[in-house]
Structures are given as structure tokens and as C-alpha cells.
Amino acid sequence: MSTKSEKSVIAVGLIQTAVSEDMAANLKKTLIKIEEAAKKGAQIICLQELYHTRYFPQEEQQNGAQKYAETIPGKSTLAFSELAKKYKLVIIVPLFEQASNGKFYNSAVVINADGVLLETYHKIHVPQDPLFYEQNYFELGDLGYRVYNTAYAKIAVLICYDQWFPEAARICTLQGAELLFYPTAIGYIKDHTSADGDWQGAWQTVQRGHAIVNGVHVVAVNRVGCEDELEFWGGSFVCDAFGSILAQAGNKEETLIVQVDLSFNKRIQDGWGFLRNRRPDTYKTLTEKNNLSS
């Protein structure tokens, strides 16, 4: 007997693009792609990390990076709010934010289907590695994890490097998220062969693991194109609550619209018991800082 219902099946849209130096052109292109996705039935649309700026943190220091920042509300949120209201869309907008306190954050805005801006999320796990010098540009996230009760589903948004941390996915699930969205900017370093193995395979595998152990659907949206020393691999995908890939993009600009059945979450959560059989009394070590064995 099928457990699907009209309410549990929703259409998510993933917009994967290359980004130019022209921020106005990037915004215009994204608006067109959102409208196209809306006309094809998308209900929740997610953009990639820093959707309308080039990935500037690959430079250790860059004077004037503030020119890429915007306020919330601001130009992007105004434009997307109008589309959200027109087409009854939920839109996830990741951008470089200059907050009212004067600090800068790698942020995501969730706009509900009535055009109203919900609370902003500040990226919590901020990397500091060669070509990913984000701590030189972004403050560490200070608003905690957020779950948004949108018009179509309860969703959480976690940004790029957050996707490597199982704690973030678990907390959002425990707070009621049915869908985890991971807007992303990740790729290969040009002319570099890593001894680690397949970076893209690991990236997809860890997120599929979050889906399985939490019994939730996962949506990852990555950018494409070459920017200085990085080659972004795209590969945006959706997987169900048992980690099965429902759709995956290639390494070119692409928009995916994917039907997801959220009633499948309960089947996995109830059947496998990963949430029910947790032992929080044994997890104290997780909250201790610098607790790695030498």
C-alpha cells in the first residue's frame, strides 16, 4: 500500500551555474533560470553558495572584497522575493552578507512562498585551507542551526563546508528538518593530483551518509566553471532518505527539477531506528573542544 500523498511529494529545483565577474549579469541570469524552473513546477529552489560572486576566498588576501557583499534585505532578496511571491516559490539564496553589525558572513536567506524573508543562516563551519581562505573574509556563524517551516516542507540550510560535519545534519534533523539543503562551491585544484583519492566521490558519499543515518532527503547544489586555480565540478544532486541518488547534474550549467516524496523519511526513520536508538548520555566527548588524541 502506497504511503504517498499529494502533500508529501514536492518538486525541488537545483540551479547550477558558472559565475562571471559581472554580478549584475549573474543576478539577471539566475532570475531567468528561477522563472524557468518555476514554470516547470519547482516549488523549492536552491541556488549555489555565493551565487552571484566569483569564489574570491581562494586568494589569501584580497583588498576590496567588501564590494561583493550586500545587505539583507538588499538587491538580491528584493528581486527574489518578487519572484517567490509571483510563483509561490520558496527560494534559498546564498550570498556574501554585510550584516547590520558591520561584520561579514557567508549567509543563506530563505524566502517563503509569500515573498517574506525568514531568518538568515550564517555558515557555521568556515574552512581555512589553501585556496579556501574563508576565515579571512567571513566571521564564524553565530546564529545556530535553523529549521524553516516553509509553505511546502520543513527544511534546513547548511552551507558547503558544513556538509562534512555529521553533527550539523543530525541537529537539524532533530529540530524537525525533512530536507537538508547544501548550497556549495567546491572543486578540484588545477594541475593537482591528490593522494587522498576521489574528492567528488567523497563529497557525495558523506552527504548520502547524512541522508541515511538521519532518514531525510538531501539536496546539494554546486557551481561549475573554472575560476583562477579552481575547477568547480558541479555534480549537483538529490538523494532520498536512504541515500539513493534521484537525480544528478553534470559539469555544465544545468537546472534540475526533482520530485521528492517526504513520506519516505518516516519509513527509514521508523524502520532503521537511528534516531530512536540514540544514546545522548554517551556523547559528552562531542562537546569537548580540542579532544583529539595525540
Side-chain angles (χ1 to χ4, degrees), residues 26-36 79-80 83:
N26 297 330
L27 172 59
K28 182 178 179 181
K29 175 169 69 174
T30 303
L31 288 167
I32 292 171
K33 290 183 177 293
I34 288 177
E35 194 154 19
E36 291 172 347
F80 293 126
L83 275 186

Side-chain angles (χ1 to χ4, degrees), residues 15 37 49 55 60 75 134 141 151-152 164 166 176 180 195 200 204 209 223 234 248 251 257 272 288:
I15 296 181
E49 182 183 21
Y55 187 73
E60 191 166 5
K75 189 172 184 179
E134 293 196 14
Y152 303 110
W164 299 97
L180 302 180
Q200 184 176 358
Q204 186 185 94
R223 67 173 64 201
Q248 181 175 346
N251 62 356
I257 299 174
W272 288 83
E288 296 174 357

